[in-house]
Amino acid sequence: MPVDLAQVLVVEDDLAHIEAITRAFARVFPDTRIRCAGNLAEYRRVVVSDPPDVVLMDLNLPDGRALDVLSDPTTPPPFPILIMTAHGDETRAVEAMKAGALDYIVKSPETFAAMPQTVMRALR
C-alpha cells in the first residue's frame, strides 16, 4: 500500500452500501479500519474523537448534504473527503469539487468493488 491508510470513515445511511465498501477494503487492504457514520451529526462526533485518514461521504444524508461539511469555513476538514452519490451529474460533480471534494464517485456495484483503488488513486 503506497499511502498509509489506517482508517477510512464511511458516512452513508444505506447499510448495503457500507457493507459493499467494507468488503472491498477487507479484500484489498485487510488492515484498514473502516468506521461508519449514518449522518452528519454522527460524522462530526466521530471526527472529533478519532479523525480518519480519508472520508467517503454520501452526497445526501438524512440531516444534510456533504457540501455542508465541505463549505463550512469555520471547520475545514483536516483529511480528504471523497463524495459518493447514487445520481451523479456533471453540475453536482463540479459543485462538489469546487467545494473541496477530492473526488466525486457515482455509486454502483462496480465502484464499490473498486473503492480501495479509487481511494488510493485519489490520495496519490
Side-chain angles (χ1 to χ4, degrees):
M1 189 166 24
V3 177
D4 184 25
L5 190 61
Q7 180 174 274
V8 174
L9 174 59
V10 180
V11 185
E12 169 67 68
D13 59 335
D14 187 320
L15 291 177
H17 295 172
I18 292 169
E19 290 171 7
I21 293 168
T22 301
R23 278 193 309 273
F25 272 93
R27 189 180 66 253
V28 178
F29 300 126
D31 294 333
T32 299
R33 182 173 164 219
I34 306 296
R35 302 250 352 245
C36 303
N39 56 50
L40 293 178
E42 190 176 352
Y43 156 82
R44 289 182 177 101
R45 283 192 300 274
V46 169
V47 299
V48 167
S49 64
D50 193 12
D53 296 309
V54 65
V55 172
L56 299 170
M57 185 178 291
D58 190 9
L59 179 63
N60 296 305
L61 294 156
D63 59 347
R65 296 180 66 213
L67 297 180
D68 299 338
V69 170
L70 291 169
S71 61
D72 183 355
T74 61
T75 56
F79 38 75
I81 296 178
L82 287 76
I83 301 297
M84 305 180 296
T85 185
H87 307 287
D89 65 51
E90 193 171 313
T91 302
R92 287 185 186 180
V94 169
E95 182 182 15
M97 300 300 278
K98 282 184 176 180
L102 193 60
D103 202 352
Y104 182 87
I105 302 158
V106 178
K107 297 177 190 177
S108 72
E110 296 78 21
T111 59
F112 290 140
M115 197 63 75
Q117 295 86 350
T118 300
V119 168
M120 296 309 290
R121 189 173 40 253
L123 291 175
R124 276 192 294 260

XYZ file of all heavy atoms in Angstrom, residues 17-113:
745
model
N -24.659 -0.349 1.126
C -23.507 0.354 0.541
C -22.301 0.286 1.479
O -21.169 0.070 1.036
C -23.870 1.796 0.232
C -24.910 1.927 -0.826
N -25.495 3.124 -1.139
C -25.486 1.012 -1.651
C -26.381 2.943 -2.104
N -26.398 1.667 -2.425
N -22.551 0.455 2.765
C -21.467 0.353 3.752
C -20.848 -1.046 3.709
O -19.627 -1.191 3.701
C -21.987 0.668 5.174
C -22.384 2.143 5.283
C -20.945 0.310 6.227
C -23.143 2.487 6.553
N -21.690 -2.061 3.660
C -21.192 -3.431 3.625
C -20.376 -3.699 2.370
O -19.332 -4.364 2.429
C -22.356 -4.414 3.738
C -22.984 -4.412 5.116
C -24.272 -5.218 5.190
O -24.635 -5.905 4.202
O -24.922 -5.170 6.237
N -20.809 -3.189 1.227
C -20.077 -3.399 -0.027
C -18.696 -2.740 0.032
O -17.695 -3.329 -0.384
C -20.881 -2.856 -1.205
N -18.630 -1.537 0.568
C -17.350 -0.833 0.695
C -16.451 -1.557 1.692
O -15.255 -1.755 1.439
C -17.582 0.637 1.111
C -18.268 1.394 -0.020
C -16.264 1.308 1.506
C -18.816 2.759 0.376
N -17.011 -1.979 2.811
C -16.241 -2.693 3.830
C -15.662 -3.991 3.270
O -14.487 -4.307 3.495
C -17.121 -2.976 5.059
O -17.600 -1.725 5.573
C -16.352 -3.703 6.141
N -16.465 -4.738 2.524
C -15.976 -5.984 1.905
C -14.833 -5.708 0.935
O -13.837 -6.440 0.904
C -17.110 -6.705 1.169
C -17.995 -7.543 2.049
C -18.894 -8.472 1.233
N -19.638 -7.794 0.169
C -20.823 -7.218 0.331
N -21.412 -7.229 1.510
N -21.432 -6.653 -0.683
N -14.964 -4.656 0.147
C -13.916 -4.334 -0.835
C -12.598 -4.013 -0.141
O -11.538 -4.490 -0.557
C -14.363 -3.168 -1.719
N -12.659 -3.216 0.919
C -11.430 -2.890 1.659
C -10.857 -4.132 2.346
O -9.641 -4.326 2.366
C -11.658 -1.763 2.665
C -11.458 -0.409 2.079
C -12.527 0.297 1.559
C -10.194 0.163 2.017
C -12.346 1.555 0.995
C -9.993 1.415 1.455
C -11.075 2.113 0.941
N -11.706 -4.981 2.895
C -11.228 -6.193 3.569
C -10.498 -7.103 2.594
O -9.512 -7.749 2.951
C -12.406 -6.932 4.212
N -10.952 -7.125 1.367
C -10.335 -7.963 0.344
C -8.977 -7.402 -0.097
O -8.016 -8.136 -0.272
C -11.278 -8.065 -0.863
C -10.866 -9.078 -1.909
C -11.840 -9.152 -3.084
N -11.836 -7.903 -3.839
C -12.811 -6.988 -3.846
N -13.888 -7.171 -3.121
N -12.725 -5.904 -4.564
N -8.875 -6.082 -0.260
C -7.672 -5.470 -0.823
C -6.705 -4.985 0.263
O -5.494 -5.189 0.159
C -8.055 -4.302 -1.761
C -6.829 -3.632 -2.316
C -8.944 -4.805 -2.894
N -7.231 -4.317 1.288
C -6.417 -3.758 2.373
C -7.004 -4.215 3.708
O -7.651 -3.429 4.414
C -6.387 -2.230 2.309
C -5.827 -1.672 1.035
C -6.542 -0.754 0.291
C -4.570 -2.051 0.588
C -6.027 -0.228 -0.878
C -4.049 -1.533 -0.587
C -4.765 -0.618 -1.325
N -6.792 -5.470 4.092
C -7.450 -6.009 5.291
C -7.069 -5.305 6.595
O -7.817 -5.407 7.563
C -7.016 -7.475 5.301
C -5.813 -7.545 4.440
C -5.927 -6.442 3.439
N -5.962 -4.605 6.628
C -5.557 -3.923 7.862
C -6.191 -2.545 8.020
O -6.041 -1.914 9.064
C -4.030 -3.796 7.920
C -3.361 -5.152 8.030
O -3.997 -6.085 8.565
O -2.215 -5.278 7.574
N -6.872 -2.069 6.993
C -7.518 -0.758 7.077
C -8.762 -0.862 7.952
O -9.594 -1.742 7.774
C -7.916 -0.255 5.671
O -6.745 -0.117 4.887
C -8.628 1.089 5.753
N -8.874 0.043 8.905
C -10.034 0.078 9.809
C -11.129 0.916 9.150
O -10.887 2.061 8.749
C -9.604 0.712 11.128
C -10.692 0.771 12.158
C -10.095 1.263 13.476
N -11.158 1.685 14.345
C -11.091 2.731 15.130
N -10.011 3.474 15.156
N -12.106 3.052 15.907
N -12.317 0.357 9.037
C -13.460 1.060 8.448
C -14.390 1.472 9.582
O -14.863 0.638 10.355
C -14.230 0.168 7.447
C -13.297 -0.402 6.375
C -15.387 0.952 6.832
C -12.654 0.613 5.476
N -14.625 2.761 9.706
C -15.602 3.284 10.681
C -16.796 3.788 9.886
O -16.653 4.174 8.729
C -15.004 4.456 11.477
C -13.751 4.099 12.213
C -13.786 4.024 13.714
N -14.932 4.457 14.430
C -14.963 5.487 15.272
N -13.886 6.218 15.477
N -16.044 5.780 15.939
N -17.941 3.851 10.513
C -19.158 4.263 9.822
C -19.911 5.318 10.610
O -19.889 5.320 11.843
C -20.071 3.058 9.609
S -19.269 1.736 8.702
N -20.551 6.202 9.868
C -21.462 7.196 10.436
C -22.656 7.271 9.496
O -22.481 7.277 8.272
C -20.771 8.553 10.559
N -23.842 7.347 10.060
C -25.049 7.344 9.242
C -25.594 8.710 8.891
O -26.538 8.825 8.110
N -25.006 9.767 9.478
C -25.484 11.117 9.193
C -24.385 12.122 9.543
O -23.323 11.746 10.052
C -26.778 11.412 9.952
C -26.624 11.209 11.440
O -25.692 11.714 12.073
N -27.548 10.469 12.031
N -24.649 13.393 9.285
C -23.636 14.429 9.522
C -23.353 14.635 11.007
O -22.206 14.882 11.387
C -24.062 15.747 8.879
C -24.098 15.756 7.352
C -24.582 17.109 6.838
C -22.754 15.404 6.759
N -24.372 14.535 11.835
C -24.155 14.707 13.276
C -23.209 13.631 13.802
O -22.276 13.922 14.557
C -25.487 14.675 14.026
N -23.429 12.406 13.393
C -22.559 11.314 13.819
C -21.160 11.499 13.240
O -20.162 11.260 13.922
C -23.156 9.978 13.389
C -22.458 8.789 13.980
C -23.134 7.474 13.607
O -24.226 7.478 13.008
O -22.544 6.436 13.929
N -21.061 11.919 11.985
C -19.766 12.224 11.362
C -18.986 13.226 12.214
O -17.810 13.025 12.509
C -19.983 12.775 9.950
C -18.861 13.628 9.431
C -17.719 13.050 8.875
C -18.925 15.017 9.516
C -16.673 13.840 8.414
C -17.893 15.807 9.059
C -16.767 15.217 8.505
O -15.730 15.995 8.062
N -19.661 14.299 12.612
C -18.980 15.339 13.406
C -18.465 14.799 14.734
O -17.382 15.158 15.181
C -19.907 16.532 13.586
C -20.106 17.313 12.299
C -21.004 18.545 12.496
N -21.100 19.296 11.261
C -22.138 19.252 10.423
N -23.189 18.494 10.721
N -22.148 19.970 9.318
N -19.225 13.924 15.373
C -18.780 13.321 16.641
C -17.569 12.409 16.423
O -16.605 12.451 17.178
C -19.915 12.524 17.285
C -20.964 13.383 17.963
C -21.905 12.548 18.826
N -22.631 11.541 18.086
C -23.792 11.739 17.446
N -24.357 12.936 17.451
N -24.387 10.755 16.803
N -17.620 11.606 15.382
C -16.549 10.645 15.125
C -15.240 11.356 14.799
O -14.185 10.990 15.316
C -16.943 9.675 13.982
C -15.754 8.860 13.515
C -18.080 8.764 14.420
N -15.281 12.374 13.942
C -14.024 13.007 13.521
C -13.359 13.786 14.644
O -12.145 13.972 14.628
C -14.189 13.898 12.264
C -14.667 13.061 11.088
C -15.105 15.071 12.505
N -14.135 14.228 15.630
C -13.539 14.920 16.777
C -12.814 13.916 17.669
O -11.699 14.167 18.116
C -14.625 15.677 17.581
C -14.101 16.124 18.927
C -15.132 16.862 16.783
N -13.429 12.768 17.891
C -12.846 11.791 18.816
C -11.783 10.908 18.172
O -10.856 10.457 18.843
C -13.945 10.916 19.419
O -14.562 10.145 18.405
N -11.893 10.658 16.867
C -10.978 9.721 16.200
C -10.872 10.078 14.718
O -11.488 9.426 13.873
C -11.506 8.300 16.390
C -10.509 7.235 16.015
O -9.323 7.556 15.807
O -10.924 6.063 15.930
N -10.090 11.117 14.373
C -10.017 11.573 12.977
C -9.524 10.474 12.027
O -8.569 9.765 12.338
C -9.012 12.721 13.025
C -8.917 13.113 14.453
C -9.243 11.894 15.261
N -10.185 10.343 10.874
C -9.788 9.329 9.898
C -8.666 9.845 8.987
O -8.316 11.026 9.017
C -11.069 9.134 9.090
C -11.700 10.497 9.115
C -11.396 11.054 10.479
N -8.162 8.933 8.170
C -7.194 9.318 7.145
C -7.899 9.860 5.910
O -7.371 10.710 5.201
C -6.331 8.118 6.747
C -5.496 7.622 7.909
O -4.803 8.452 8.532
O -5.557 6.421 8.209
N -9.095 9.353 5.648
C -9.895 9.767 4.496
C -11.362 9.476 4.805
O -11.674 8.577 5.587
C -9.438 9.030 3.202
C -9.688 7.548 3.297
C -10.055 9.622 1.955
N -12.250 10.252 4.174
C -13.693 10.079 4.368
C -14.356 9.813 3.018
O -14.082 10.510 2.037
C -14.321 11.335 5.012
C -15.838 11.233 5.042
C -13.769 11.550 6.406
N -15.224 8.799 2.990
C -16.113 8.542 1.859
C -17.489 8.971 2.328
O -18.032 8.383 3.267
C -16.119 7.059 1.496
C -14.786 6.473 1.064
C -14.880 4.954 0.969
C -14.366 7.070 -0.258
N -18.060 10.015 1.711
C -19.302 10.587 2.218
C -20.365 10.649 1.138
O -20.116 11.159 0.038
C -19.036 11.996 2.755
C -20.244 12.635 3.425
S -19.907 14.281 4.105
C -18.816 13.907 5.454
N -21.542 10.139 1.478
C -22.689 10.239 0.586
C -23.050 11.711 0.422
O -22.986 12.484 1.386
C -23.857 9.458 1.185
C -25.021 9.292 0.224
O -24.895 9.623 -0.970
O -26.084 8.824 0.673
N -23.426 12.104 -0.769
C -23.771 13.500 -1.032
C -24.988 13.941 -0.221
O -24.993 15.022 0.362
C -24.038 13.702 -2.530
C -24.441 15.104 -2.959
C -23.332 16.106 -2.672
C -24.785 15.117 -4.445
N -26.007 13.093 -0.163
C -27.243 13.434 0.550
C -27.429 12.500 1.734
O -27.521 11.285 1.564
C -28.445 13.323 -0.395
C -28.351 14.330 -1.519
O -28.224 15.523 -1.286
N -28.387 13.847 -2.749
N -27.500 13.103 2.916
C -27.668 12.351 4.151
C -28.956 12.787 4.838
O -29.510 13.835 4.495
C -26.449 12.576 5.046
C -25.168 11.976 4.453
C -23.934 12.663 4.992
C -25.137 10.485 4.722
N -29.443 12.026 5.805
C -30.715 12.363 6.442
C -30.753 13.757 7.065
O -31.814 14.379 7.118
C -30.865 11.289 7.522
C -30.032 10.154 7.062
C -28.895 10.764 6.303
N -29.615 14.264 7.531
C -29.610 15.564 8.205
C -28.817 16.644 7.457
O -28.425 17.639 8.045
C -29.083 15.420 9.641
C -27.674 14.847 9.696
O -27.182 14.334 8.666
O -27.062 14.909 10.774
N -28.608 16.448 6.167
C -27.934 17.491 5.386
C -27.183 16.915 4.199
O -27.342 15.748 3.849
N -26.366 17.775 3.600
C -25.593 17.379 2.418
C -24.105 17.419 2.727
O -23.658 18.203 3.554
C -25.891 18.344 1.265
C -27.342 18.294 0.813
C -27.630 19.253 -0.315
N -26.904 18.826 -1.510
C -26.410 19.663 -2.411
N -26.544 20.955 -2.270
N -25.773 19.204 -3.468
N -23.360 16.599 2.039
C -21.906 16.583 2.210
C -21.305 17.958 1.935
O -20.317 18.341 2.545
C -21.285 15.544 1.283
N -21.917 18.706 1.049
C -21.397 20.039 0.727
C -21.454 20.967 1.937
O -20.677 21.917 2.022
C -22.145 20.639 -0.460
C -22.000 19.855 -1.771
C -22.791 20.532 -2.878
C -20.559 19.660 -2.162
N -22.346 20.668 2.897
C -22.389 21.456 4.135
C -21.070 21.325 4.891
O -20.577 22.289 5.473
C -23.538 20.989 5.042
C -24.905 21.151 4.410
O -25.044 21.968 3.477
O -25.838 20.440 4.843
N -20.493 20.132 4.886
C -19.214 19.891 5.553
C -18.091 20.569 4.775
O -17.240 21.242 5.348
C -18.933 18.374 5.678
C -17.516 18.122 6.142
C -19.936 17.732 6.611
N -18.101 20.392 3.469
C -17.024 20.927 2.636
C -17.003 22.448 2.598
O -15.935 23.050 2.513
C -17.150 20.391 1.208
C -16.867 18.911 1.046
C -17.292 18.441 -0.334
C -15.400 18.614 1.295
N -18.152 23.068 2.672
C -18.212 24.523 2.516
C -18.245 25.286 3.840
O -18.394 26.493 3.846
C -19.432 24.904 1.679
O -20.619 24.479 2.322
N -18.069 24.574 4.964
C -18.067 25.229 6.273
C -16.691 25.847 6.535
O -15.736 25.129 6.838
C -18.412 24.228 7.365
C -18.494 24.860 8.742
O -18.191 26.065 8.883
O -18.853 24.146 9.694
N -16.562 27.176 6.428
C -15.250 27.805 6.586
C -14.734 27.788 8.024
O -13.543 27.964 8.253
C -15.480 29.246 6.117
C -16.932 29.482 6.343
C -17.612 28.135 6.163
N -15.617 27.525 8.977
C -15.181 27.539 10.382
C -14.482 26.245 10.782
O -13.682 26.244 11.705
C -16.374 27.776 11.332
O -17.315 26.711 11.165
C -17.032 29.106 11.062
N -14.794 25.156 10.109
C -14.181 23.877 10.460
C -13.810 23.077 9.211
O -14.407 22.044 8.930
C -15.125 23.037 11.332
O -16.362 22.872 10.620
C -15.377 23.662 12.676
N -12.814 23.538 8.458
C -12.418 22.751 7.286
C -11.824 21.411 7.733
O -11.077 21.364 8.704
C -11.368 23.626 6.609
C -10.870 24.542 7.674
C -11.996 24.716 8.652
N -12.201 20.331 7.067
C -11.711 19.023 7.497
C -10.209 18.875 7.254
O -9.708 19.285 6.204
C -12.506 18.045 6.631
C -13.033 18.845 5.505
C -13.111 20.262 5.950
N -9.491 18.282 8.198
C -8.042 18.091 8.044
C -7.680 16.800 7.301
O -6.572 16.316 7.405
C -7.555 18.050 9.490
C -8.693 17.449 10.227
C -9.950 17.954 9.525
N -8.657 16.237 6.590
C -8.454 14.982 5.862
C -9.234 15.086 4.553
O -10.188 15.866 4.442
C -8.967 13.790 6.686
C -10.225 14.109 7.439
C -11.448 14.199 6.800
C -10.172 14.377 8.794
C -12.593 14.536 7.495
C -11.318 14.712 9.505
C -12.530 14.794 8.842
N -8.841 14.324 3.548
C -9.548 14.376 2.268
C -10.929 13.730 2.357
O -11.128 12.766 3.102
C -8.641 13.613 1.313
C -7.655 12.899 2.148
C -7.659 13.491 3.515
N -11.864 14.287 1.580
C -13.224 13.754 1.507
C -13.539 13.435 0.053
O -13.360 14.280 -0.822
C -14.254 14.756 2.068
C -14.008 14.991 3.559
C -15.678 14.254 1.826
C -14.947 15.998 4.204
N -14.013 12.214 -0.181
C -14.492 11.800 -1.487
C -16.008 11.701 -1.387
O -16.534 11.107 -0.439
C -13.914 10.446 -1.894
C -12.450 10.432 -2.296
C -11.531 10.534 -1.096
C -12.130 9.184 -3.070
N -16.699 12.299 -2.331
C -18.158 12.332 -2.331
C -18.701 11.182 -3.174
O -18.216 10.931 -4.272
C -18.680 13.677 -2.889
C -18.162 14.843 -2.060
C -20.203 13.683 -2.973
C -18.609 14.852 -0.629
N -19.725 10.509 -2.643
C -20.407 9.441 -3.368
C -21.860 9.849 -3.577
O -22.448 10.509 -2.721
C -20.396 8.143 -2.550
C -19.041 7.665 -2.123
S -19.134 6.124 -1.173
C -20.041 6.632 0.301
N -22.427 9.445 -4.700
C -23.832 9.724 -4.952
C -24.438 8.633 -5.822
O -23.738 8.019 -6.627
C -24.030 11.096 -5.621
O -25.424 11.371 -5.736
C -23.378 11.156 -6.989
N -25.721 8.408 -5.640
C -26.428 7.426 -6.461
C -26.843 8.024 -7.796
O -27.003 7.309 -8.779
C -27.652 6.907 -5.714
N -27.014 9.343 -7.832
C -27.492 10.014 -9.051
C -26.545 11.149 -9.392
O -26.778 12.300 -9.025
C -28.910 10.551 -8.842
C -29.862 9.511 -8.353
N -30.328 8.504 -9.154
C -30.395 9.294 -7.132
C -31.115 7.711 -8.456
N -31.179 8.177 -7.215
N -25.477 10.812 -10.073
C -24.473 11.819 -10.383
C -24.795 12.593 -11.643
O -25.449 12.101 -12.542
N -24.345 13.813 -11.652
C -24.396 14.608 -12.868
C -23.225 15.591 -12.839
O -22.616 15.828 -11.795
C -25.738 15.314 -13.054
C -26.028 16.356 -12.001
O -25.163 17.232 -11.759
O -27.123 16.330 -11.418
N -22.912 16.133 -13.987
C -21.735 16.981 -14.112
C -21.816 18.238 -13.241
O -20.822 18.644 -12.643
C -21.560 17.377 -15.585
C -20.217 17.997 -15.867
C -19.990 18.186 -17.345
O -20.246 17.247 -18.113
O -19.554 19.291 -17.714
N -22.984 18.822 -13.126
C -23.135 20.035 -12.322
C -22.825 19.759 -10.855
O -22.101 20.516 -10.209
C -24.571 20.598 -12.458
O -24.827 20.857 -13.841
C -24.742 21.867 -11.661
N -23.378 18.672 -10.331
C -23.105 18.318 -8.926
C -21.643 17.960 -8.722
O -21.054 18.271 -7.690
C -23.984 17.163 -8.482
C -25.419 17.568 -8.291
C -26.203 16.423 -7.752
N -27.610 16.777 -7.715
C -28.565 15.974 -7.295
N -28.261 14.763 -6.885
N -29.806 16.362 -7.291
N -21.060 17.283 -9.688
C -19.642 16.915 -9.583
C -18.774 18.165 -9.498
O -17.884 18.256 -8.651
C -19.228 16.055 -10.772
N -19.040 19.126 -10.352
C -18.272 20.374 -10.344
C -18.480 21.110 -9.022
O -17.526 21.606 -8.416
C -18.655 21.270 -11.549
C -18.072 22.665 -11.411
C -18.200 20.624 -12.851
N -19.715 21.149 -8.549
C -20.023 21.802 -7.280
C -19.244 21.157 -6.126
O -18.655 21.846 -5.291
C -21.528 21.721 -7.017
C -21.988 22.408 -5.759
C -23.484 22.267 -5.523
O -24.144 21.415 -6.153
O -24.001 23.022 -4.675
N -19.214 19.824 -6.094
C -18.507 19.108 -5.031
C -17.000 19.346 -5.113
O -16.346 19.583 -4.092
C -18.804 17.611 -5.118
N -16.460 19.306 -6.308
C -15.018 19.507 -6.469
C -14.620 20.940 -6.111
O -13.602 21.160 -5.462
C -14.590 19.161 -7.896
C -14.880 17.712 -8.290
S -14.077 16.484 -7.269
C -12.485 16.456 -8.023
N -15.428 21.902 -6.503
C -15.142 23.294 -6.144
C -15.230 23.510 -4.641
O -14.519 24.340 -4.084
C -16.107 24.249 -6.857
C -15.756 24.486 -8.298
C -16.684 25.516 -8.915
C -16.289 25.836 -10.327
N -17.179 26.843 -10.939
N -16.099 22.753 -3.976
C -16.244 22.878 -2.522
C -15.095 22.218 -1.778
O -14.940 22.432 -0.583
C -17.576 22.285 -2.076
N -14.304 21.403 -2.486
C -13.142 20.806 -1.846
C -13.099 19.294 -1.832
O -12.190 18.709 -1.243
N -14.064 18.637 -2.463
C -14.032 17.178 -2.518
C -12.828 16.730 -3.342
O -12.480 17.356 -4.343
C -15.314 16.636 -3.144
N -12.209 15.651 -2.918
C -11.066 15.111 -3.641
C -11.516 14.343 -4.884
O -10.805 14.290 -5.869
C -10.257 14.203 -2.713
C -8.879 13.793 -3.164
C -8.004 15.030 -3.374
C -8.248 12.898 -2.123
N -12.710 13.764 -4.822
C -13.253 13.026 -5.962
C -14.769 12.964 -5.820
O -15.322 13.220 -4.744
C -12.660 11.611 -6.004
C -12.745 10.974 -7.387
O -13.382 11.546 -8.295
O -12.164 9.881 -7.560
N -15.438 12.617 -6.911
C -16.891 12.516 -6.974
C -17.193 11.172 -7.626
O -16.819 10.945 -8.774
C -17.437 13.675 -7.798
C -18.929 13.747 -7.911
C -19.681 14.402 -6.940
C -19.599 13.201 -8.999
C -21.049 14.501 -7.050
C -20.979 13.298 -9.115
C -21.691 13.951 -8.141
O -23.047 14.050 -8.245
N -17.822 10.277 -6.883
C -17.995 8.897 -7.309
C -19.485 8.582 -7.423
O -20.243 8.804 -6.479
C -17.348 7.942 -6.288
C -15.864 8.293 -6.133
C -17.556 6.495 -6.680
C -15.270 7.819 -4.832
N -19.895 8.047 -8.576
C -21.270 7.607 -8.750
C -21.349 6.152 -8.288
O -20.600 5.293 -8.752
C -21.724 7.753 -10.216
C -23.151 7.246 -10.381
C -21.626 9.214 -10.654
N -22.245 5.892 -7.343
C -22.364 4.572 -6.726
C -22.854 3.522 -7.723
O -23.792 3.768 -8.483
C -23.347 4.609 -5.565
C -22.940 5.493 -4.422
C -24.049 5.490 -3.391
C -23.871 6.516 -2.328
N -25.006 6.534 -1.392
N -22.201 2.365 -7.671
C -22.632 1.185 -8.423
C -21.904 -0.001 -7.804
O -20.921 0.179 -7.074
C -22.263 1.309 -9.902
O -20.859 1.172 -10.079
N -22.341 -1.217 -8.077
C -21.609 -2.372 -7.552
C -20.138 -2.358 -7.980
O -19.257 -2.712 -7.198
C -22.361 -3.569 -8.148
C -23.758 -3.063 -8.348
C -23.587 -1.612 -8.748
N -19.883 -1.903 -9.192
C -18.511 -1.855 -9.694
C -17.672 -0.807 -8.961
O -16.514 -1.063 -8.624
C -18.495 -1.569 -11.201
C -19.130 -2.637 -12.049
C -20.663 -2.613 -12.058
O -21.266 -1.570 -11.742
O -21.257 -3.659 -12.367
N -18.246 0.362 -8.698
C -17.468 1.393 -7.997
C -17.240 1.012 -6.536
O -16.194 1.328 -5.978
C -18.105 2.797 -8.090
O -19.416 2.778 -7.534
C -18.127 3.302 -9.519
N -18.195 0.323 -5.921
C -17.978 -0.157 -4.551
C -16.831 -1.160 -4.526
O -15.968 -1.110 -3.660
C -19.240 -0.786 -3.966
C -20.335 0.201 -3.679
C -21.655 -0.121 -3.957
C -20.071 1.437 -3.119
C -22.682 0.779 -3.689
C -21.086 2.349 -2.844
C -22.388 2.013 -3.136
N -16.818 -2.092 -5.466
C -15.774 -3.110 -5.514
C -14.393 -2.492 -5.744
O -13.390 -2.992 -5.241
C -16.085 -4.133 -6.605
